[in-house]
């Protein structure tokens, strides 16, 4: 209104000035001032029309200017609103208004428009009770004009969870008043300062920790500013210098004075570690305040820079090493003596380590506090630490009880020596690991049992030798038993035919008839043949044991040879009531085998089958399967008891129902194994026996029946 009033005053002034000009200098322009004699219209009418025209032009100009200024003002307000909206978004500030009459809060958006209204109770729903009271008090103070502006720090719960709260800063101020000047609307701004408070708290805590460490650490600490002057120094460093902080600040001691380098480039300072010597009579500031003649000081300086590499400060740590320096010579002498003693101890330890290494011995310690067993492969080098559980897991089950008893005695602090052998589940080179332990108790200064210390020795080889000796002893005993059985059997088997030969030979010297000579000769021949067969078997076994038997495979028609061999064996041993059959699946079967040795095996197996069969059949069957020649001899004899089958291939083992030296099947097994084959036997008492063997060989020609 004041701006429009001022414009009207200017228009009135212009009109008065125009009238004055007309009186002083009449205008002769008839267009503007026509002669009233020409129109008959009074002159004042023309004056009024001209004045109205001028006023209209001025008003039009004013309207144009007003609209331009209004548009500019609108743009400025819009920019201000956008800027305010951006500020509200980035600073996490929210706007509320409180109507004192309706007692309602209205939330404002970024453009300053009201969006939602709520009551005071709903507004403070997640506020702490004390913050609600403070907010109500602040509203009352502004309402009753006790305060113009009020700032509050409050906390708001997050999602009704009292353990999670955000910190806010709330500012209350008068937004509108009535015509009497009393507040009607209060503006409330609320900004989230949780992160800022956390950051301030973190900075504060960091500063407190820094200050606590800086002042309490038992190391001299000094802080320099970016220009290199001392700004802080802890009490430990002050005691080393023998002064206080105020004196240092008054003297303005810089890092250049500390290092004694006036040309030092502080801006490009790098990390430095050195030992300085300060003399009391020196003219530099730091030296002059020393109350001692000389100070040896160990110093480390570290620059602190920002992300752009700009120097922020220099941090120094150090310690007074004067006493160390002054006693250096004494220390050197002590070091020389100590070095000499260490050399002697090292030599002693090296000798111990050498003995441990050469002797295969490990030092061992059992700690009564941790109940762990530690092995040392050298005097100062721990090899392995084992808990009781792990130790027992590595112990052979048969040795666990004795080991547990020893560990319990040690845990109960029984002050006795411990000597024991332990067998483990670990195997080395195919043998179980045996360890021998020797412990002696160790006591502390008060006489309490502290630990057990001793030696551990690997006796696996010794135990393996002992086991081998035991096995060899058992084997020797078995050999002795076999030898005795051999001598017993041989003495009987050889003596019987030999006695027969000698007896019938002596009968020739006695009176006898001519008819008896035939009987004598037949008995002598039979016994001689039996004795020769026994001697041949013994010699053949000796050759097998000496590995003097050679295998000479040659191509041969096995189908023809096996039939001929069976007929040859059966020729003089056929029994009435027994059928002798060769089941031949091939007309021709040429294979590369050693037929002589196979014939020997067949002869002994067939002889046993014929000897044990009184009725029924003796069946020979063969086939060629999978690059192997398989031969089976089945009889219907009296069979072999089950308890004798597992030993039937052993030497000097015979069927209890028959006589003989028990070498036939043993020779067959060893000879077939020597040719790379296998032999086996099944038998049922009263039903018969089946013996079969397989020999690997190469097939040359085959023709089946």
């Amino acid at each position: 209104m004041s701006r429009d009033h001022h414009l009207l005053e200017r228009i009135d002034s212009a009109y008065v000035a125009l009238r004055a000009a007309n009186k002083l200098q009449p205008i002769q322009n008839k267009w503007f001032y026509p002669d009233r004699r020409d129109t008959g219209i009074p002159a004042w009418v023309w004056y009024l029309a001209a004045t109205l025209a001028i006023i209209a032009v001025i008003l039009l100009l004013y309207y144009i200017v007003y609209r331009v200024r209004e548009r500019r003002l609108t743009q400025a307000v819009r920019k201000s609103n956008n800027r305010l909206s951006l500020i509200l978004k980035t600073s996490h500030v929210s706007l509320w208004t409180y109507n004192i009459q309706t007692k309602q809060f209205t939330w404002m958006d970024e453009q300053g428009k009201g969006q939602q209204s709520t009551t005071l109770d709903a507004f403070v729903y997640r506020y702490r009770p004390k913050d609600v009271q403070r907010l109500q008090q602040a509203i009352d103070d502004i309402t009753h004009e006790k305060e113009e502006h009020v700032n509050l720090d409050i906390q708001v719960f997050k999602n009704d969870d009292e353990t999670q709260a955000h910190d806010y800063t709330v500012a209350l101020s008068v937004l509108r008043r009535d015509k009497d000047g009393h507040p009607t609307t209060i503006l409330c701004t609320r900004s989230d300062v949780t992160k800022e408070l956390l950051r301030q708290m973190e900075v504060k805590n960091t500063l407190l920790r820094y200050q606590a460490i800086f002042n309490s650490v038992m190391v001299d600490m000094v802080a320099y500013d970016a220009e290199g002057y001392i700004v802080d120094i802890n009490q430990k460093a002050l005691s080393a210098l023998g002064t206080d902080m105020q004196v240092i600040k008054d003297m303005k001691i810089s890092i250049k004075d500390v290092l004694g380098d006036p040309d030092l480039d502080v801006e490009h300072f790098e990390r430095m570690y050195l030992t300085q010597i300060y003399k009391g009579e020196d003219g530099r500031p730091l030296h002059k305040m020393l109350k001692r003649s000389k100070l040896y000081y160990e110093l480390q300086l570290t620059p602190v820079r920002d992300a752009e590499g700009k120097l922020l400060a220099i941090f120094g740590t150090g310690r007074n090493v004067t006493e160390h320096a002054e006693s250096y010579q004494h220390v050197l002498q002590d070091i020389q003596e100590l070095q000499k003693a260490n050399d002697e101890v090292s030599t002693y330890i090296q000798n111990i380590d050498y003995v441990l290494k050469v002797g295969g011995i490990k030092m061992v310690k059992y700690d009564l506090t941790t109940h762990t067993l530690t092995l040392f492969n050298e005097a100062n080098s721990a090899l392995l630490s084992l808990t009781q559980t792990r130790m027992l897991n590595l112990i052979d089950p048969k040795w666990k009880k004795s080991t547990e008893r020893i560990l319990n005695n040690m845990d109960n602090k029984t002050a006795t020596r411990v000597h024991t052998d332990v067998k483990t589940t670990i195997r080395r080179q195919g043998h179980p690991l045996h360890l021998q332990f020797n412990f002696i108790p160790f006591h502390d200064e008060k006489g309490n049992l502290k630990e057990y210390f001793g030696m551990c020795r690997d006796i696996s080889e010794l135990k393996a030798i002992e086991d081998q000796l035991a096995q060899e002893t058992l084997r020797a005993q078995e050999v002795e038993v076999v030898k005795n059985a051999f001598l017993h059997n041989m003495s009987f088997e050889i003596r019987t035919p030999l006695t027969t030969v000698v007896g019938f030979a002596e009968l020739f010297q006695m009176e006898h008839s001519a008819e008896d000579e035939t009987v004598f000769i037949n008995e002598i021949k039979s016994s001689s043949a039996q004795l020769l067969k026994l001697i041949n078997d013994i010699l053949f076994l000796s050759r097998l044991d000496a590995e003097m038997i050679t295998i000479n495979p040659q191509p041969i028609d096995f189908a023809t040879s096996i039939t001929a061999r069976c007929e040859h064996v059966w020729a003089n041993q056929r029994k009435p009531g027994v059928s002798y059959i060769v089941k031949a699946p091939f007309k021709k079967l040429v294979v590369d085998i050693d037929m002589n040795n196979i014939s020997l095996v067949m002869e002994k197996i067939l002889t046993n089958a014929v000897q044990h069969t009184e009725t029924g059949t003796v069946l020979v069957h063969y086939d060629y399967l999978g690059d192997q020649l398989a031969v089976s001899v089945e009889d219907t004899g009296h069979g072999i008891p089950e308890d004798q089958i597992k030993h039937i291939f052993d030497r000097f083992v015979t069927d209890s129902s028959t006589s003989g030296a028990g070498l036939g099947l043993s020779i067959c097994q060893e000879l077939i194994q020597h040719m790379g084959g296998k032999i086996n036997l099944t038998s049922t008492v009263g039903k018969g026996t089946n013996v079969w063997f397989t020999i690997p060989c190469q097939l040359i020609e085959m023709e089946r029946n």
Side-chain angles (χ1 to χ4, degrees):
M1 292 177 62
S2 60
R3 190 179 296 112
D4 296 340
H5 181 70
H6 181 66
L7 181 60
L8 292 175
E9 289 179 350
R10 293 178 61 184
I11 293 173
D12 293 339
S13 300
Y15 177 71
V16 172
L18 180 62
R19 291 186 62 185
N22 288 334
K23 291 179 180 180
L24 294 176
Q25 188 177 356
I27 299 175
Q28 300 300 323
N29 192 338
K30 293 182 178 181
W31 179 262
F32 291 100
Y33 302 100
D35 190 352
R36 57 181 176 267
R37 291 176 299 179
D38 297 335
T39 61
I41 299 173
W44 63 269
V45 175
W46 292 105
Y47 294 151
L48 179 61
T51 301
L52 292 176
I54 293 173
I55 292 173
V57 171
I58 293 174
L59 290 175
L60 179 61
L61 291 176
Y62 173 77
Y63 176 75
I64 293 173
V65 173
Y66 173 78
R67 292 297 297 173
V68 170
R69 293 186 63 185
E70 182 182 18
R71 184 178 300 173
R72 290 179 180 177
L73 183 60
T74 301
Q75 292 177 352
V77 170
R78 187 179 293 112
K79 289 182 179 180
S80 299
N81 290 338
N82 293 335
R83 190 179 298 111
L84 177 61
S85 175
L86 181 61
I87 292 173
L88 293 177
K89 287 182 179 180
T90 55
S91 59
H92 304 285
V93 176
S94 57
L95 294 177
W96 300 78
T97 59
Y98 177 74
N99 193 312
I100 296 176
Q101 293 180 353
T102 61
K103 296 184 179 181
Q104 285 191 338
F105 283 90
T106 302
W107 174 72
M108 311 293 290
D109 60 8
E110 291 85 352
Q111 305 299 329
K113 298 179 180 180
Q115 297 294 326
Q116 183 180 359
S117 298
T118 181
T119 61
L120 177 62
D121 294 336
F123 182 78
V124 299
Y125 173 66
R126 291 196 294 268
Y127 283 28
R128 295 182 184 274
K130 61 179 182 180
D131 291 337
V132 174
Q133 295 177 0
R134 293 170 57 206
L135 181 62
Q136 290 177 341
Q137 184 63 41
I139 292 174
D140 292 340
D141 291 343
I142 295 177
T143 302
H144 297 90
E145 299 184 272
K146 294 180 180 179
E147 297 287 346
E148 190 72 20
H149 303 281
V150 178
N151 294 323
L152 299 176
D153 294 329
I154 64 173
Q155 286 187 331
V156 179
F157 300 137
K158 184 179 180 181
N159 298 328
D160 299 336
D161 187 358
E162 295 187 3
T163 61
Q164 297 182 359
H166 279 237
D167 294 299
Y168 290 91
T169 297
V170 177
L172 302 174
S173 59
V174 178
L175 179 63
R176 297 187 183 90
R177 298 177 183 272
D178 57 11
K179 60 182 180 179
D180 298 327
H182 300 302
T184 60
T185 304
I186 299 175
L187 177 65
C188 173
T189 62
R190 190 178 71 178
S191 59
D192 189 349
V193 294
T194 305
K195 294 183 178 179
E196 180 65 22
L197 289 179
L198 290 176
R199 188 186 67 80
Q200 292 178 2
M201 185 178 297
E202 183 177 357
V203 171
K204 183 179 180 181
N205 292 335
T206 302
L207 291 175
L208 289 175
R209 287 196 297 269
Y210 163 77
Q211 198 65 34
I213 295 173
F214 189 83
N215 292 325
S216 63
V217 73
M218 298 304 293
V219 178
D220 299 353
M221 290 190 176
V222 182
Y224 303 85
D225 60 12
E227 297 179 357
Y229 288 96
I230 295 178
V231 293
D232 198 4
I233 183 169
N234 68 349
Q235 191 62 37
K236 187 71 170 55
L238 291 174
S239 62
L241 297 176
T243 182
D244 55 25
M245 185 62 194
Q246 190 59 42
V247 174
I248 293 178
K249 289 184 177 180
D250 294 340
M251 297 182 68
K252 293 186 178 180
I253 298 175
S254 70
I255 194 171
K256 297 180 181 180
D257 299 322
V258 174
L259 299 178
D261 184 5
D263 299 328
L264 179 67
D265 187 0
V266 178
E267 181 64 28
H268 299 88
F269 182 79
E270 298 297 335
R271 188 175 182 274
M272 184 178 295
Y273 178 84
L274 71 164
T275 301
Q276 290 285 97
I277 303 176
Y278 302 102
K279 298 181 180 180
E281 65 274 7
D282 200 316
R284 286 177 288 178
L286 181 60
H287 294 226
K288 287 193 299 183
M289 71 179 185
L290 295 177
K291 298 180 180 180
R292 61 181 73 189
S293 59
K294 187 178 293 186
L295 173 66
Y296 293 86
Y297 201 80
E298 187 178 23
L299 181 63
Q300 177 175 302
L301 298 171
T302 303
V304 180
R305 303 181 184 276
D306 58 12
E308 298 177 355
K310 183 179 179 181
L311 183 66
L312 301 177
I314 299 175
F315 189 76
T317 59
R319 60 171 183 161
N320 183 6
V321 294
T322 304
E323 295 181 359
H324 299 283
E326 291 176 349
S327 61
Y328 184 67
Q329 294 299 327
H330 299 289
V331 172
L332 286 179
Q333 294 177 0
D334 295 340
I335 289 175
Q336 291 176 356
E337 295 178 0
L338 182 61
Q339 184 63 39
K340 184 178 179 181
N342 285 338
D343 292 341
E344 295 177 356
V345 173
S346 298
T347 303
Y348 181 71
I349 293 176
Q350 289 175 1
N351 293 335
I352 293 177
D353 293 341
Y354 179 76
V355 172
L356 294 177
K357 182 178 180 181
V358 173
I361 301 174
K362 301 288 187 295
M363 288 191 297
V364 62
K365 181 183 71 173
Y366 182 75
D367 194 324
L368 294 176
T369 303
T370 60
H371 305 285
T372 57
L373 184 74
T374 305
L375 280 78
F376 298 84
N377 57 348
E378 294 181 357
N380 297 319
S381 177
L383 177 64
L384 182 66
S385 292
L386 298 173
T387 61
Q388 282 192 0
T389 304
R390 191 175 178 188
M391 277 190 289
L392 293 175
N393 287 336
L394 296 176
I395 300 299
D396 188 271
K398 296 181 180 180
W399 297 70
K400 278 189 177 181
K401 289 186 178 180
S402 60
T403 305
E404 289 176 352
R405 184 171 58 255
I406 293 173
L407 290 174
N408 289 334
N409 292 336
M410 295 170 70
D411 290 338
N412 293 330
K413 299 183 179 180
T414 304
T416 58
R417 292 176 177 268
V418 177
H419 176 78
T420 183
D421 296 342
V422 176
K423 181 181 178 182
T424 68
T425 57
I426 303 172
R427 302 186 66 85
R428 293 180 57 185
Q429 299 178 355
H431 301 289
L433 177 64
H434 284 79
L435 298 176
Q436 185 181 76
F437 291 92
N438 288 279
F439 287 102
I440 58 174
F442 265 65
H443 299 79
D444 57 14
E445 297 177 353
K446 297 180 180 180
N448 298 323
L449 186 60
K450 179 182 178 182
E451 63 186 14
Y452 284 85
F453 186 82
M455 309 295 285
C456 172
R457 186 162 67 99
D458 184 0
I459 58 173
S460 302
E461 186 175 355
L462 181 61
K463 286 293 183 180
I465 294 174
E466 290 180 357
D467 293 341
Q468 186 177 2
L469 288 175
Q471 293 176 3
E472 293 296 334
T473 301
L474 181 60
R475 188 176 302 170
Q477 292 174 354
E478 293 177 354
V479 171
E480 184 67 21
V481 173
V482 172
K483 184 183 72 173
N484 293 333
F486 172 77
L487 293 176
H488 175 74
N489 291 334
M490 290 302 101
S491 63
F492 175 77
E493 297 295 334
I494 295 174
R495 188 185 299 112
T496 300
L498 186 59
T499 302
T500 303
V501 172
V502 173
F504 280 101
E506 290 178 350
L507 289 177
F508 274 100
Q509 299 177 353
M510 299 174 62
E511 293 183 2
H512 59 279
S513 62
E515 294 83 1
D516 293 335
E517 290 184 358
T518 302
V519 177
F520 295 165
I521 292 172
N522 289 334
E523 290 294 334
I524 290 174
K525 285 183 179 180
S526 176
S527 298
S528 299
Q530 184 180 354
L531 182 61
L532 179 61
K533 178 178 176 298
L534 181 60
I535 293 174
N536 286 335
D537 288 345
I538 294 173
L539 293 176
F540 193 82
L541 279 175
S542 300
R543 292 174 62 193
L544 280 174
D545 292 339
E547 298 182 356
M548 296 175 62
I549 301 298
T550 57
I551 306 301
N552 297 315
Q554 294 179 357
I556 191 169
D557 186 0
F558 187 78
T560 304
S561 299
I562 188 66
T563 304
R565 175 56 59 184
C566 292
E567 293 296 336
H568 174 72
V569 173
W570 294 335
N572 299 323
Q573 302 185 41
R574 291 180 181 271
K575 297 178 181 179
V578 179
S579 299
Y580 301 94
I581 304 171
V582 176
K583 188 177 181 181
F586 298 94
K587 289 183 179 180
K588 188 176 184 179
L589 178 63
V590 181
V591 291
D592 194 12
I593 59 174
D594 188 343
M595 192 60 194
N596 292 330
N597 288 323
I598 293 178
S599 297
L600 178 61
V601 173
M602 287 295 300
E603 180 181 354
K604 294 186 177 299
I605 295 175
L606 289 171
T607 300
N608 287 338
V610 172
Q611 183 181 358
H612 292 81
T613 304
E614 301 296 334
T615 60
T617 59
V618 175
L619 175 63
V620 177
H621 180 279
Y622 68 92
D623 203 345
Y624 186 82
L625 302 171
D627 296 334
Q628 287 189 339
L629 178 64
V631 181
S632 171
V633 178
E634 184 177 355
D635 64 68
T636 57
H638 56 73
I640 303 172
E642 186 177 356
D643 58 341
Q644 296 181 11
I645 291 178
K646 59 182 179 180
H647 301 293
I648 198 65
F649 289 105
D650 295 344
R651 295 183 182 183
F652 312 115
V653 175
T654 61
D655 185 1
S656 59
S657 63
T658 61
S659 61
L663 297 178
L665 290 178
S666 177
I667 291 174
C668 293
Q669 184 187 42
E670 295 187 25
L671 185 57
I672 288 176
Q673 289 177 352
H674 192 61
M675 290 187 290
K678 296 180 180 179
I679 186 171
N680 209 337
L681 176 148
T682 60
S683 181
T684 303
V685 176
K687 293 185 178 181
T689 303
N690 184 14
V691 182
W692 72 90
F693 63 88
T694 58
I695 302 293
C697 59
Q698 182 180 0
L699 176 66
I700 298 176
E701 187 178 354
M702 177 179 68
E703 183 180 354
R704 288 186 175 272
N705 285 327

